[in-house]
Amino acid sequence: MIDYFAIFLTHGLIMLVCWRLLAREDLDDPQAAPPVEGKRGARGRRARRKGSGGDV
């Protein structure tokens, strides 16, 4: 029972993601604007953490 549930859950989520990706309008429009990034990404947080603290 657990095996069938795990298989159904993972495959169902994969199908949901594929469906949502294929339904996007910007995939068919070559002139669509690129997605807007957030204010700061993981790289900005990592760089700031790396420089803060430590023995100075």
Side-chain angles (χ1 to χ4, degrees), residues 18-47:
C18 290
W19 180 306
R20 299 250 340 214
L21 283 173
L22 291 174
R24 289 176 54 129
E25 292 292 327
D26 59 344
L27 291 178
D28 295 330
D29 188 9
Q31 307 238 346
V36 177
E37 292 185 18
K39 291 184 180 179
R40 30 173 220 189
R43 181 172 293 198
R45 285 187 295 239
R46 207 176 303 130

Side-chain angles (χ1 to χ4, degrees), residues 8-10 31-32 34 39 54:
F8 174 74
L9 180 65
T10 55
Q31 307 238 346
K39 291 184 180 179

